[in-house]
Amino acid sequence: MAQTTQNSAPRPLPEDWDRLLAVVAHPDDLEFGASSAIHRWTQQGKDVVELLVTKGEAGIDSMDPGACAPLRMAEQRASAEAVGAATVEFLDFPDGTLEYGLPLRRSLAGAIRRHRPDVIVSINFREHFGGGSFFNHADHRVLGPALLDAVRDAANRWVFTEQLVEGREPWDGVRFVAFGAAPDPTHFVELSEENLAAGIASLDAHEVYLANLDGFDQKTFLREGAVSSGEWAGVPLATSFEVFDT
């Protein structure tokens, strides 16, 4: 089903679509680059739904998960508002121990059938991020393959048939899945200063989470990333994606 569209020439991400489902593991995942593009798209009038597979409850060492989850959910809603995404939903998978398997594929396929997106955006699922030796989070590495498989599942009437009884008809309308912050991107979205500022504001909304990241400067990080991606793409500012056609 899914095939990476890699080649040596950066290409603009197609924007001739209307509905986007942004699917990530944790609150704050979208905000490391993709949310600036989401702002561009909501300004174009596109419909964007953010779906969080976990509630991020294991993300702050100093907070008990029971107290952390509602805080991080609230921060994600504020973050989505900053870039114009009107709908934020949460699944209930455990943060930090996400497992590839039928329960995850079933939930993702159900969401795809319900929201019927043209395009899906997520975060890098490769072992590393570009230009560094940081080993990617286990949840990210699990989610990417499960999400690509769920796109196929959602289109197949004979997979997860119980969802048909619930009124979730098959959906084969997903054109491509784009993964932000990938080490080997294939496409880019050009950003304006306004888009970048909104993206920074969306990451700023994760105030308590960021306060627990010792010495992290999100404004510098996002601007440097947008400049670097822009240099790769041949535009002043950009964010990049690895794209799989479906």
Side-chain angles (χ1 to χ4, degrees):
M1 179 276 300
Q3 173 181 317
T4 185
T5 58
Q6 259 183 347
N7 66 27
S8 58
R11 283 160 287 171
L13 193 77
E15 294 183 325
D16 56 339
W17 46 267
D18 298 314
R19 296 188 307 279
L20 170 73
L21 181 62
V23 184
V24 289
H26 317 107
D28 83 79
D29 283 349
L30 285 171
E31 288 65 59
F32 284 89
S35 62
S36 295
I38 288 175
H39 181 262
R40 172 184 167 103
W41 296 326
T42 60
Q43 292 298 293
Q44 294 172 349
K46 301 184 190 303
D47 179 51
V48 176
V49 173
E50 294 186 1
L51 179 68
L52 288 298
V53 175
T54 82
K55 298 172 181 175
E57 68 274 8
I60 300 178
D61 183 69
S62 61
M63 291 188 69
D64 178 86
C68 188
L71 169 71
R72 299 209 68 197
M73 292 168 71
E75 289 188 338
Q76 186 62 41
R77 293 188 180 101
S79 177
E81 184 177 0
V83 294
T87 303
V88 181
E89 297 181 356
F90 295 86
L91 301 179
D92 199 24
F93 287 87
D95 182 15
T97 57
L98 202 60
E99 293 181 308
Y100 180 93
L102 291 179
L104 180 58
R105 282 172 50 190
R106 180 180 290 107
S107 290
L108 293 173
I112 292 166
R113 286 172 170 175
R114 182 159 48 87
H115 290 293
R116 309 181 88 72
D118 305 309
V119 171
I120 294 176
V121 161
S122 190
I123 193 172
N124 173 34
F125 65 92
R126 303 299 189 179
E127 287 189 352
H128 298 277
F129 290 89
S133 59
F134 176 75
F135 194 56
N136 198 358
H137 195 296
D139 288 352
H140 301 165
R141 291 184 283 114
V142 164
L143 177 60
L147 182 57
L148 289 168
D149 288 340
V151 172
R152 180 194 291 113
D153 296 335
N156 190 333
R157 178 174 300 278
W158 308 116
V159 175
F160 306 136
T161 55
E162 72 281 358
Q163 293 178 355
L164 303 181
V165 178
E166 300 165 0
R168 301 186 189 187
E169 289 295 315
W171 177 246
D172 63 357
V174 177
R175 289 173 49 189
F176 59 83
V177 183
F179 294 89
D184 295 305
T186 57
H187 291 69
F188 69 92
V189 175
E190 184 173 4
L191 303 176
S192 67
E193 285 287 350
E194 181 184 4
N195 300 148
L196 178 57
I200 291 171
S202 74
L203 186 51
D204 285 344
H206 295 275
E207 183 177 0
V208 177
Y209 174 75
L210 291 171
N212 284 266
L213 298 182
D214 188 29
F216 179 68
D217 179 356
Q218 66 269 22
K219 294 177 175 59
T220 299
F221 178 87
L222 289 180
R223 177 164 291 279
E224 288 181 349
V227 169
S228 177
S229 292
E231 290 174 350
W232 169 74
V235 298
L237 299 170
T239 191
S240 62
F241 295 88
E242 180 181 13
V243 174
F244 288 76
D245 290 328
T246 58

